[in-house]
Amino acid sequence: MPFLLINEDITRLDVDVIVNAANTSLLAGGGVCGAIFAAAGYQKLEEACEKLSPISTGEAVITPGFNLKARYIIHTAGPIYQEHSLQNRPLLQACYQNSLSLAYKKGLISIAFPLISSGIYGYPKKEAYEIAKDTITTFLKDHDMRVYLTLLDKIDIPHDEFDRYLKLQQISKVHPMRHFPMTKNNQKSNITGKPFLEQIKHYIEESKLTESQFCYLANMDHSSFHKMISSDQPTKDQILSSCIALSLPLEEIESFLYINHDTLAKDNLRDCIIRYFILQQQYDIFNINDMLFYYDQKLLGEE
């Protein structure tokens, strides 16, 4: 159930289904819509869309992907932004909700969206992104899907406090790296991942989280979870995502990383971003990924 931000051409993605930001007539348009028609093949896609048109704003319909790597295309008509209109948000939410529900009913497990209505339809990008993010992540609480949102432009997020933190870390680079000391329990581990995995299982049981709830909080699908649990050596990102899902303190996270011959390096931008959120006790992995994406860093949950 990962939600991932990417900056890629949606027509080239190898996923089960991509979403077309369509018009209600399902005609070939400009922008993302025109690019999808061109890549899929105008004639075949036009013929398929003609049988389904017109659609209402917020509605979603599905056609084959034809020449695309994606097997299917879901077409949804976003709202034209009108300032002060009370219909903007529910209509845009419906685009994502109906597209996700349609894909899930079809048994499709990977889907890629553009930022709907944020082009010629005039929806402010930041607001459009927040609606997309909230709707998608809410859906993923109860559905095991991999959802990509293609962003051609970075969404401006508040980062003044992080910038100040980063400057302090840059100053501290002259100091030696601090490693979290080995505890007695850690010494018994013989530097393997098993104690971490056993402890994570214990924490999950103790917190009364279901597997689905844990996977959601860790931005991890069920197959990745079982792969992690059955492995002898978890990856650094699996450790970080798991610890963030469980809201563990920094020292405990550093201890687990140390056992795994890893660390949150103070001179590494990605590690600094993750460390910053943990220190602030902000464990929303989607907010952490917002910042990672803004600084062109690999997201948590990205394979």
Side-chain angles (χ1 to χ4, degrees), residues 46-66:
E46 282 178 340
E47 289 173 358
C49 286
E50 188 176 350
K51 297 174 184 177
L52 299 171
S53 66
I55 63 172
S56 303
T57 302
E59 187 181 356
V61 294
I62 192 166
T63 66
F66 299 111

Side-chain angles (χ1 to χ4, degrees), residues 134-262:
D134 290 348
T135 309
I136 291 169
T137 54
T138 298
F139 185 86
L140 288 177
K141 287 181 179 179
D142 301 310
H143 302 85
D144 191 18
M145 295 178 71
R146 179 169 286 267
V147 183
Y148 299 91
L149 182 63
T150 59
L151 296 177
L152 301 180
D153 303 305
K154 292 179 181 178
I155 304 300
D156 191 23
I157 56 176
H159 54 271
D160 290 345
E161 286 187 16
F162 172 72
D163 283 346
R164 286 193 288 271
Y165 169 80
L166 188 60
K167 287 177 182 177
L168 290 174
Q169 298 311 301
Q170 289 172 336
I171 293 170
S172 71
K173 283 195 295 185
V174 299
H175 300 296
M177 189 74 66
R178 181 180 71 87
H179 291 295
F180 192 74
M182 295 279 283
T183 65
K184 291 181 179 179
N185 288 336
N186 291 342
Q187 290 169 356
K188 293 177 183 178
S189 71
N190 197 27
I191 316 300
T192 71
K194 289 184 180 178
F196 164 75
L197 296 173
E198 290 168 2
Q199 191 66 45
I200 288 300
K201 290 176 186 177
H202 172 72
Y203 282 152
I204 293 172
E205 291 173 3
E206 193 177 57
S207 63
K208 297 182 179 180
L209 289 173
T210 65
E211 181 182 313
S212 292
Q213 289 170 332
F214 173 82
C215 287
Y216 172 77
L217 293 171
N219 204 31
M220 184 184 297
D221 57 32
H222 287 274
S223 62
S224 298
F225 173 77
H226 290 292
K227 185 177 179 181
M228 177 185 75
I229 291 299
S230 62
S231 69
D232 289 332
Q233 195 73 22
T235 66
K236 178 178 179 177
D237 276 14
Q238 286 172 340
I239 293 172
L240 289 171
S241 293
S242 298
C243 291
I244 288 168
L246 295 164
S247 301
L248 299 185
L250 180 61
E251 288 191 343
E252 193 160 1
I253 297 172
E254 288 182 321
S255 178
F256 283 136
L257 290 171
Y258 182 72
I259 294 170
N260 206 50
H261 296 289
D262 278 313

